[in-house]
Amino acid sequence: MKRRLLFRPERCLMCLSCVLACGLGALGIDDPRELPAGSKPPRRLAMTLVAGTPWPVRCRHCTQAPCAEACISGSIVRDAATGAVLHRPETCVGCGSCRLVCPFGAVAPDQTGDCMTKCNLCPQDATPRCVAACRSGALVLGEGDGDDQRKRAFAREMIGGAAHD
């Protein structure tokens, strides 16, 4: 079953608790007071304002992920079970080719600059930390291909109701 991170901008308070939870989770800690001095969490999720509306800068786990195609070391791969585009830092050479081709600006260098980092949808957790931290319900975890079905229905409507599957 595919995991999808869905964002509802009308519910976002721009509190950045999702960004904090994601960064701390990447470092393997729960309390920001445990953050070692001088360390900086990797940027896997960021928030920005687009025309006054909050919007997350995050990996969209594209169907044909340009970052995976551009990765020269094979560090970015698709997980067939979850549909997530995963980054394996242990094989990353930090060349940045994935960052150059990402249309969403979702790939960033880590603290050392020797490796890239991106959202992996927290495969080790039942619920990604950013979703668990979002108290307003702006970030939610979706399952399945419901979005694809909506797109097909819209396409059918646009071409006059002809059945194309």
Side-chain angles (χ1 to χ4, degrees), residues 6-66:
L6 307 173
F7 180 68
R8 299 184 282 192
E10 71 278 4
R11 292 182 174 224
C12 182
L13 303 174
M14 272 304 266
C15 66
L16 303 179
S17 60
C18 56
V19 175
L20 178 63
C22 177
L24 294 177
L27 294 175
I29 57 177
D30 294 320
D31 188 347
R33 294 173 292 189
E34 296 173 8
L35 188 64
S39 68
K40 180 180 169 185
R43 189 195 75 120
R44 294 182 177 178
L45 172 67
M47 293 297 291
T48 188
L49 288 174
V50 177
T53 302
W55 205 256
V57 177
R58 62 174 175 82
C59 180
R60 303 296 199 280
H61 300 277
C62 305
T63 302
Q64 293 184 343

Side-chain angles (χ1 to χ4, degrees), residues 83-136:
V85 178
L86 303 177
H87 176 254
R88 299 180 301 196
E90 63 275 3
T91 59
C92 182
V93 295
C95 68
S97 60
C98 53
R99 183 180 189 188
L100 292 173
V101 299
C102 178
F104 303 106
V107 184
D110 69 357
Q111 181 181 2
T112 65
D114 296 334
C115 182
M116 304 310 285
T117 185
K118 63 174 273 319
C119 170
N120 280 343
L121 286 177
C122 296
Q124 70 281 4
D125 298 329
T127 302
R129 288 182 179 234
C130 60
V131 172
C134 184
R135 299 292 180 212
S136 66

